[in-house]
Amino acid sequence: MRPEKMAPAGGSGAVRGLWVPLAVLALTRAALALTEQYPALSLLKQELHRQRQGPAGGCASAGDWAEQYSAECDSSFLHFHESDCDIGGSSSCEPVLSLHTEKILNQAKLLAEQKRFPFATDNDNTNEELAIAYVLIGNGLYDEAIRHFSTMLQEEPELVSAIYGRGIAYGKKGLHDMKNAELALFELSRVISLEPDHPEVFEQRAEILSPLGRISEALSDLTKAIQLQPSARLYRHRGTLYFISEDYATAHEDFQHSLELNKNQPIAMLYKGLTFFHRGLLKEAIESFKEALKQKADFIDAYKSLGQAYRELGNFDAATENFQKALLLNQNHVQTLQLKGMMLYHHGSLDEALKNFKRCLQLEPYNEVCQYMKGLSHVAMGQFYEGIKAQTKVMLNDPLPGQKASPEYLKVKYLREYSRYLHAHLDTPLTEYNIDTDLPGNFKDHWAKNLPFLIENYEEQPGLQPHIKDVLFQNFESYKPDVQELICVADHLGSMMQYETPGFLPNKRIHRAMGLATLEVMQAVQRTWANSKVRMNGKTRLMQWRDMFDIAVKWRRIADPDQPVLWLDQMPARSLSRGFNNHINLIRGQVINMRYLEYFEKILQFIKDRILVYHGANNPKGLLEVREALEKVHKVEDLLPIMKFNSKTRDGFTVNTKVPSLKDQGKEYDGFTITITGDKVGNILFSVETQTTEERTQLYHAEIDALYKDLTAKGKVLILSAELGEVDAVCNLILSLVYYFYNLMPLSRGSSVVAYSVIMGALMASGKEVSGKIPKGKLVDFEAMTAPGSEAFSKIARSWMNLKSISPSYKSLPSVSETFPTLRTMIEVLNTDSSHCLKKTIVVV
């Protein structure tokens, strides 16, 4: 059970898009810092130089500076002091010599008279020379400015303005050159030693330190600047660095302080929203993004972030609306195209997703996320030639030495190999082969664990075979009426499995796949209870419990080929002996996983009970103190002080749940492990994991085998005698069997929806149909994992399932396995538009 991570930082796709403005800000602040520190220097930055040329080549406004100083369109610079240039005629000197000396002097004179540059002196001549160097900086002639300042410092070594200006010029030359960075820091540190009470110098040094990764030093400088003279800008800058450090709570405080000092800051409001977003507080994030849009109606990043927040909430329509508003403002906004495409893919709208990825790549040909998702979308729709071509382009983007490989680069070779395998089996009957036994063990092991593709002696899958054609689009109307009805019923059944909780976007492709799986399970179970054999993995035999689940696994796999849905007990023996950890972070640092919020209190109560048992056995004298402390625990963070009561739990502790056996009364199996580590709020890890070892798997399998044997026997009786008691017993057996499946978590992905489709299908085989939706905030797998036993889980599940007698019309539906006997036919039906189903009455509801 590895759900998609909601918090996006650094991850694929979605959430990563929200990081970009901040990352860009952090890396470019050093180049733009002067514009806010000294209003007069805003006139000198390169941005204004670019703005001076209007669309037709004429003069454009150069802002306040242009109005104040009546500057001409063409910039003019001057070598005020000696340079390496040969005035006798070197072509490299010509651009400088041709500049208007009089103009630059006039500009410098005006700046000097008003002392509108850093650390002006009382000497008019000195100020004019300093002003000239600052104008050179503003026009991008950093080496000239450095020479100019250096000449002045030869005459006056402690001229603070020249030291400061030279430091700025070194920084602007480019921090990619460490020599420039070190020289800039050296000069700024000299200024601080001479003038320790100027906040702007600390801020400027922080702007040099942060792109170098020296975040703690930069934070220290910004804190000093705030102590000297707090401002909205300084709080915003420091908040940005805290955000990059993933200290979202402290970042939030700084953005809040900034907004209190200056409420009209759409960027600060956006970042405040992002601190909420990354902590999983989506509704609060949405309010902040909306407030940013009130301040700046054409704020593309706010619309994009709002779209992503709604996507995380699972609100497809609201997310689409806001992504669309961002694209109306700028149809070439790559991040929005990427995020919208990702959302459409995970909504099951692959055609629409593909359009966004293609547009993204037109604008940014080397965008790995869009390239990978383009390849994935093609493959999911059965267009393998285009898909593998796109995948190969991602594979060519080898990371540079020392550079971290992107998630897409790590995944793409697995996808290409799996794509080749699928293509080769497009027209082979699904009953005649088995992915779990066909794919190499080490390949499956590495793929499931998301490891780099470093597999010894791996033999690649054969390339695409020309005689096997891609999947063609199948029109809904081309299916016979009874198959159309089958598809519509499947869509309805699949929608019943949708979780109504943050983080779960409705996916109509998954809905259809698992709806068809439900119907196929129903039909297969009915045949089994009537003593018919099934054809599975090239053999004809009586159906076993794994075959029943394999039907659902088959459909879940093909719905999204990006995810390895593999049986863990079919992994190499060496891997299985070590165990597979299905790990979920509930809280990591300050990031709360909103998907599982509903279960925090239940898990917390379990932990408190276990702590009392532990201290009762190991520290009976301190039990009263621990009990009193536990009464004050209302959230996970409150447990941190209690961990200090015992030296063994000071750094953290684990708690194991137990799953009682039905087969052997009094016996218990290992459930899942709850781990809490950390020493303070913001530095906490609260997680759950199931460890699927060979021994544990065998214990669960024995339990499931016994239940399945009983279920088959009672199912056969049920067909002959539909008494209420028999039906009730069969329902409880189905739910008990799946209870152990959920706690085992035997698949690398998709265990939850696979199991629920088996529940629905098997119940339908018994004559009962699920008519109730899963309650808001509830997750079926977590209901099973946190239930004290199978009977408790059955009772909880039945409370919302609202079971009713099945409609007779189900019997007239065609056989799913015979209608869609190959991968090609499965992909065709998943690609088919069935909007007509919404317009017609489904006969079984």
Side-chain angles (χ1 to χ4, degrees), residues 378 381-384 426-427 468-476 478-479 823-832:
H378 276 303
M381 290 192 289
Q383 298 162 3
F384 290 91
L426 266 178
D427 300 306
I468 301 175
K469 303 303 179 187
D470 273 350
V471 176
L472 299 175
F473 178 75
Q474 188 85 351
N475 201 300
F476 183 75
S478 67
Y479 286 111
L823 275 178
R824 183 184 298 278
T825 53
M826 288 174 70
I827 294 171
E828 283 174 351
V829 74
L830 294 183
N831 288 347
T832 303

Side-chain angles (χ1 to χ4, degrees), residues 80-150:
F80 194 80
H81 294 284
E82 292 178 359
S83 74
D84 297 331
C85 190
D86 177 12
I87 297 182
S90 167
S91 60
S92 64
C93 299
E94 287 176 7
V96 176
L97 293 174
S98 65
L99 298 173
H100 303 294
T101 304
E102 187 178 347
K103 174 188 166 187
I104 197 75
L105 289 170
N106 286 339
Q107 291 175 2
K109 186 176 181 182
L110 287 168
L111 273 178
E113 284 175 358
Q114 296 186 15
K115 296 186 177 181
R116 293 186 64 191
F117 59 88
F119 299 104
T121 71
D122 294 328
N123 184 300
D124 292 342
N125 290 334
T126 301
N127 285 344
E128 236 177 275
E129 290 206 12
L130 287 166
I132 287 169
Y134 280 109
V135 171
L136 290 171
I137 290 176
N139 285 288
L141 291 175
Y142 307 127
D143 286 328
E144 300 303 321
I146 289 167
R147 291 192 190 99
H148 191 110
F149 284 129
S150 297

Side-chain angles (χ1 to χ4, degrees), residues 677-741:
T677 61
D679 51 10
K680 62 181 185 296
V681 175
N683 186 30
I684 188 172
L685 177 65
F686 175 39
S687 63
V688 299
E689 68 179 21
T690 55
Q691 189 172 33
T692 307
T693 61
E694 188 172 10
E695 182 184 359
R696 181 175 179 272
T697 299
Q698 287 174 356
L699 290 170
Y700 274 88
H701 279 190
E703 193 78 29
I704 296 171
D705 283 337
L707 284 164
Y708 183 76
K709 186 177 180 182
D710 200 6
L711 173 63
T712 305
K714 283 191 168 56
K716 290 177 178 180
V717 172
L718 183 64
I719 286 181
L720 302 173
S721 168
E723 289 184 18
L724 188 61
E726 293 290 347
V727 174
D728 210 45
V730 167
C731 288
N732 285 333
L733 280 169
I734 291 166
L735 290 167
S736 294
L737 187 152
V738 176
Y739 164 78
Y740 289 101
F741 181 92

Side-chain angles (χ1 to χ4, degrees), residues 48 71 98 102 171 182 192 226 238 240 274 328 351 371 373 424 443 477 493 551 611 656 688 721 759:
L48 287 183
S98 65
E102 187 178 347
E182 292 301 333
I192 287 171
I226 287 169
R238 191 174 69 174
T240 300
L274 290 171
L328 284 172
D351 243 349
Q371 192 71 59
M373 292 304 299
F443 174 87
E477 287 79 9
L493 291 173
I551 292 168
I611 288 174
N656 297 309
V688 299
S721 168
I759 288 175

